[in-house]
Amino acid sequence: MTVRFVGAGPGDPELITVKGQRLLAAADTIIYAGSLVNPALLCLAKQDAVIMNSASMTLDEVIDAIVRATGEGREVVRLHTGDPSIYGAIKEQMDALDKRGIPYEVVPGVSSFLAAAAALRCEYTLPEVSQTVIVTRLEGRTPVPEREKLAALAAHRATMCIFLSVHMLDSVVDELTAGGYPADTPIAVVQKASWPDEKIYRGTLATIARTVEEAGVDRTAMIVVGRCLDGDYALSKLYSPDFGHMFREAK
Ligand code: SAH
């Protein structure tokens, strides 16, 4: 029995992949990350499927549940929020299954940093603005390697998507400013991207902390920073008439 790790997407139940949806509908046991997976997705489950919320489980308990279910010949889906490769704690589960010789497959999902771009109607990689997206977080109880401190990454002034940090927005702003982003750099906070109660707060490094504090946002939010949120950019080469490529000759 192959265990399926499935990315549930950012919230909107229609943002799971077709493959993820099919596997979810066929699963005998579903173990979902209860803190962020939209429970609406569980409506896809078979009537007699066993559904477990991993929010209150330890790693060992999750692995035990998977091992027991596969041992009984059940199809198991482990449902992660967004894409499992981003802050998903999936590696330790895959390693535990490797140790036990249990095969698994990973089905990717739409990460919340991409749902945030859609909500903001922005392009992270604008020509002559930034061609780089940094996915990161502020240090919390999980340490961040010294060379990846926010201030160090800020030196690039690339587009940054900052997870798991909105409750420490003051420190985020301090580190970004110390690292080299000017105080008028645009920044947005997207709360619950793609959910019905999605909210967007926009400002600059100088103003955002106050706006977000007044709104009382303290969880499930993505911080997006960079000039890509401004209006200025160069037109792309890809669609420029004088730029030829494999599929189109220059005019
Ligand atoms: N694997 C997930 C991230 C899990 S870490 C993914 O790929 O999206 C949890 C963090 O993700 C939250 O603290 C928040 O920063 C972000 N997040 C998850 N869902 C979100 C959503 N719908 N809108 C905004 N941020 C979200």
Side-chain angles (χ1 to χ4, degrees):
M1 282 291 163
T2 300
V3 174
R4 266 60 176 245
F5 291 94
V6 175
D12 179 347
E14 291 192 326
L15 289 179
I16 192 170
T17 61
V18 174
K19 183 166 185 172
Q21 186 178 46
R22 173 172 62 74
L23 292 170
L24 203 54
D28 301 306
T29 298
I30 297 167
I31 307 173
Y32 72 104
S35 53
L36 283 174
V37 166
N38 190 338
L41 276 170
L42 302 172
C43 300
L44 297 170
K46 292 193 292 195
Q47 205 132 58
D48 59 345
V50 173
I51 299 178
M52 303 166 88
N53 179 348
S54 64
S56 58
M57 296 164 79
T58 63
L59 172 64
D60 285 343
E61 287 167 348
V62 170
I63 298 302
D64 282 351
I66 294 176
V67 170
R68 215 169 321 121
T70 49
E72 291 164 1
R74 302 170 68 88
E75 296 277 5
V76 178
V77 164
R78 173 72 171 111
L79 196 59
H80 279 265
T81 81
D83 183 85
S85 72
I86 310 274
Y87 307 114
I90 185 184
K91 172 78 173 145
E92 59 199 29
Q93 299 173 65
M94 294 189 292
D95 286 349
L97 296 186
D98 279 338
K99 255 195 231 149
R100 291 163 179 80
I102 297 175
Y104 52 84
E105 175 188 12
V106 183
V107 179
V110 176
S111 180
S112 56
F113 80 97
L114 301 171
L120 292 167
R121 291 156 174 69
C122 80
E123 177 173 346
Y124 287 152
T125 54
L126 278 180
E128 292 175 32
V129 174
S130 175
Q131 292 287 291
T132 304
V133 184
I134 296 176
V135 167
T136 189
R137 62 170 300 171
L138 198 65
E139 179 160 275
R141 278 184 296 177
T142 305
V144 170
E146 187 63 36
R147 60 187 180 277
E148 292 178 14
K149 291 286 182 296
L150 220 46
L153 299 177
H156 298 285
R157 295 208 215 164
T159 302
M160 255 200 228
C161 299
I162 307 170
F163 285 67
L164 296 159
S165 306
V166 79
H167 60 293
M168 301 178 283
L169 188 56
D170 280 334
S171 313
V172 170
V173 167
D174 286 349
E175 287 214 30
L176 292 175
T177 312
Y181 281 102
D184 66 350
T185 305
I187 176 167
V189 169
V190 184
Q191 186 179 27
K192 298 196 83 177
S194 86
W195 289 72
D197 51 347
E198 168 188 292
K199 288 209 177 65
I200 296 177
Y201 304 91
R202 290 179 189 263
T204 63
L205 285 179
T207 65
I208 195 74
R210 181 127 187 230
T211 307
V212 165
E213 196 195 318
E214 282 172 5
V217 183
D218 65 352
R219 55 191 300 262
T220 323
M222 182 64 48
I223 305 168
V224 178
V225 197
R227 290 277 163 209
C228 71
L229 297 172
D230 266 347
D232 300 335
Y233 63 98
L235 286 178
S236 78
K237 295 243 186 301
L238 186 60
Y239 295 110
S240 156
D242 53 7
F243 183 81
H245 54 70
M246 216 195 310
F247 303 105
R248 180 168 54 72
E249 277 184 22
K251 287 199 182 128

